[in-house]
Amino acid sequence: EQRRLREERVHEQVQHSRAVGNVDRTTTSNTRVHEQVQASRAVGNADSTTIRNTRSAPRSSPNKTISSSLPGGQRSRIPPPARVAPVTSSSLQNTRYDGVDDDELNWRLDSYAMLSDYTIIVRRALPGPHAPDFEVDDANAIDFSMDAGNPKLDSYYVHKAMIAVGSRRSELLGRRIREADSTTRPDGHSSDVNVHETIMLESAADAMGIVLDFLYYPDKPLEMNIHNAVPLVYLGKRYKIRALIEQSEEFVHSHLESTNAIHFLLDSYLYQLDDILSRAIDVTAANLGATLDFNPIYQLPPELFRRIILSKDFNCDSGLLSLIVYSYCGEHHAEDIDVEYLREITKQRLMPEIDSKVALMLLKFYVDLIFADDENCDIMDVLVGDSLMQRCIAVAAKHWQGEVYEPLMVDSEFNESASPMKRRLPAHEPTAIHRALIISH
């Protein structure tokens, strides 16, 4: 009986020990799972699938760590997973999902990347009767600039919101864009006119990029100099950009001076900007006597030359003026001058004295113009009391020996020369002109 009781107690102890062992193992497994979850949360990269697999893993799994297997009964810790490097802008610099770099809105970059919704096409042309706006129905009447046999084209891919909105906007393009967007076609869709084609002179086309920068970047200074200032004024007026007109006109007014007046004069005449042209003419006229290089003056059209001579600010020595007038009219624009034009710019109040070097040549040119106007006229009757004739004769008589007699003596020696080369190359340059005067009379 005692043996039976001992066996029952031993059996109960064994059962109790087994129950306690199962509880310990379950607690240990749960503790490891809890530690894994905490470790995963600590690194911010918990893997729920791994946790589930860990919970259902069999007890014999090699991943399970038993404290008794370590020296001194030390408990094992599951190694934490590798920490993932944080995502930074530098790590994503070359791996954009949309394939586009982080550039700011810009008309110079690829139209696809910048999502441009409007195109400006500029065709370059040379000066002509239809310049500077080239508003003509027949394009064949325009002399276009060519590149390898093809007209030069500049294409700009821009954004409507940048060129048609804001204080620096183009009022012209803004109106056209809004009118096009409000137009509906028969199929009910909005008009797809998103292209602006235009023709302009070379210097205006060169400045078009500066205009777009002005529209896009309010804080960027306007890149202006004496070479592009007038084209920028023109573009501001053409595209109705008020802020550009104000800044470019202010630049012209503050920089126009005697040394560059002729440059502003030519550009403003080319772009038909009368305000700038009038000021440039007055500055040129006021400093004509101090001019060192007259070649730009000689290249002016007769209309501009006349306006300079008749300017209210005109300031030039009378003798020098006679040299300038004869050189311009007689040597550079003889085919464009008529008798009334010459009389107007050689009036007594403008040219009281004539330089002796050109007195007879100017008189000869004047007489030729009279005959060109009426070849059957009686020249002596026409010249009776003529102021220009009297001034020319007076100075020729006063300087007869130096300007008439001596050149004629040189002519006499020239005619006696037997050298054909010398006949082709006169020893005294004015003598040929004087000889022509004598023969004509």
Side-chain angles (χ1 to χ4, degrees):
E1 180 65 16
Q2 291 177 351
R3 185 175 59 199
R4 183 181 62 79
L5 292 174
R6 285 195 300 270
E7 289 176 354
E8 289 178 356
R9 285 195 297 271
V10 170
H11 180 71
E12 290 174 359
Q13 291 175 353
V14 171
Q15 295 295 330
H16 178 71
S17 298
R18 287 178 178 175
V20 172
N22 290 337
V23 171
D24 290 342
R25 284 191 294 271
T26 302
T27 301
T28 301
S29 177
N30 291 339
T31 300
R32 286 197 300 269
V33 171
H34 177 71
E35 291 175 351
Q36 289 176 340
V37 172
Q38 293 300 325
S40 298
R41 289 176 178 175
V43 297
N45 194 23
D47 189 343
S48 60
T49 303
T50 303
I51 295 174
R52 286 195 299 270
N53 292 339
T54 303
R55 288 175 177 171
S56 60
R59 293 179 182 179
S60 60
S61 172
N63 294 331
K64 183 175 70 174
T65 304
I66 303 176
S67 60
S68 60
S69 65
L70 297 175
Q74 181 181 358
R75 188 166 189 163
S76 167
R77 291 181 179 272
I78 297 177
R83 183 178 296 274
V84 179
V87 178
T88 63
S89 59
S90 59
S91 64
L92 293 179
Q93 184 174 3
N94 299 320
T95 57
R96 294 292 184 266
Y97 181 77
D98 58 2
V100 178
D101 294 333
D102 295 341
D103 297 302
E104 299 298 331
L105 200 63
N106 194 328
W107 61 268
R108 288 185 171 87
L109 299 181
D110 180 72
S111 60
Y112 169 80
M114 291 293 103
L115 299 177
S116 65
D117 53 5
Y118 199 73
T119 303
I120 299 175
I121 299 177
V122 177
R123 301 174 68 184
R124 296 171 174 252
L126 301 175
H130 302 291
D133 296 334
F134 298 100
E135 295 179 351
V136 58
D137 295 332
D138 185 10
N140 294 324
I142 301 174
D143 189 9
F144 290 101
S145 299
M146 307 300 288
D147 182 14
N150 298 314
K152 289 184 179 180
L153 294 178
D154 299 322
S155 298
Y156 302 94
Y157 303 99
V158 298
H159 306 82
K160 295 178 182 178
M162 302 303 294
I163 65 175
V165 178
S167 60
R168 291 190 171 192
R169 71 186 182 278
S170 166
E171 296 180 19
L172 175 69
L173 293 179
R175 179 173 179 175
R176 290 186 177 182
I177 289 171
R178 291 178 178 87
E179 289 177 350
D181 288 343
S182 63
T183 303
T184 56
R185 298 184 307 209
D187 56 7
H189 296 287
S190 176
S191 174
D192 57 354
V193 181
N194 293 318
V195 178
H196 170 64
E197 293 191 50
T198 187
I199 304 171
M200 59 181 65
L201 293 167
E202 290 269 9
S203 55
D206 291 338
M208 194 64 186
I210 300 175
V211 173
L212 292 178
D213 281 343
F214 183 81
L215 299 177
Y216 269 70
Y217 312 114
D219 298 329
K220 183 177 181 179
L222 186 60
E223 299 177 4
M224 196 179 325
N225 52 57
I226 63 172
H227 301 290
N228 64 18
V230 173
L232 285 173
V233 174
Y234 166 76
L235 290 173
K237 291 180 177 291
R238 179 168 178 174
Y239 286 100
K240 307 294 188 293
I241 308 173
R242 297 174 186 265
L244 178 59
I245 296 173
E246 293 176 1
Q247 292 192 29
S248 54
E249 284 187 338
E250 173 61 27
F251 180 92
V252 172
H253 292 159
S254 61
H255 288 79
L256 199 162
E257 54 190 24
S258 59
T259 56
N260 57 33
I262 193 68
H263 179 84
F264 284 110
L265 190 155
L266 292 172
D267 273 1
S268 57
Y269 177 74
L270 187 63
Y271 286 102
Q272 299 180 8
L273 300 174
D274 290 337
D275 291 342
I276 300 176
L277 177 61
S278 297
R279 185 157 184 253
I281 286 175
D282 290 341
V283 173
T284 302
N287 296 274
L288 187 63
T291 300
L292 300 178
D293 182 11
F294 289 97
N295 287 323
I297 300 293
Y298 297 148
Q299 302 306 316
L300 295 176
E303 174 191 353
L304 292 185
F305 183 76
R306 171 185 170 276
R307 290 182 62 178
I308 291 174
I309 303 302
L310 301 180
S311 170
K312 58 181 177 54
D313 297 325
F314 181 77
N315 181 23
C316 183
D317 176 76
S318 179
L320 176 59
L321 176 60
S322 66
L323 293 171
I324 296 172
V325 167
Y326 175 76
S327 182
Y328 180 90
C329 297
E331 297 178 349
H332 293 86
H333 296 273
E335 301 297 327
D336 304 320
I337 304 301
D338 59 28
V339 65
E340 294 301 326
Y341 182 95
L342 184 64
R343 284 172 177 165
E344 186 175 23
I345 63 175
T346 58
K347 289 182 178 179
Q348 176 77 26
R349 66 177 181 83
L350 297 172
M351 193 186 299
E353 298 180 0
I354 298 175
D355 192 285
S356 60
K357 297 182 181 64
V358 295
L360 288 179
M361 292 184 285
L362 183 59
L363 179 59
K364 169 64 169 57
F365 181 69
Y366 181 39
V367 169
D368 288 342
L369 291 179
I370 295 175
F371 278 119
D373 188 55
D374 184 4
E375 60 182 6
N376 297 318
C377 70
D378 186 340
I379 189 64
M380 298 311 298
D381 290 341
V382 173
L383 292 177
V384 171
D386 186 272
S387 173
L388 178 58
M389 180 203 68
Q390 291 176 349
R391 280 174 282 150
C392 289
I393 292 178
V395 71
K398 184 177 180 180
H399 299 275
W400 174 261
Q401 183 173 354
E403 299 299 332
V404 180
Y405 174 73
E406 291 181 359
L408 288 176
M409 294 299 295
V410 173
D411 274 351
S412 175
E413 296 176 1
F414 169 79
N415 291 331
E416 293 176 358
S417 174
S419 171
M421 181 59 68
K422 288 184 178 180
R423 288 196 177 95
R424 284 190 227 107
L425 299 174
H428 192 278
E429 184 178 353
T431 58
I433 301 176
H434 287 292
R435 186 169 59 250
L437 288 172
I438 299 301
I439 293 174
S440 64
H441 289 287

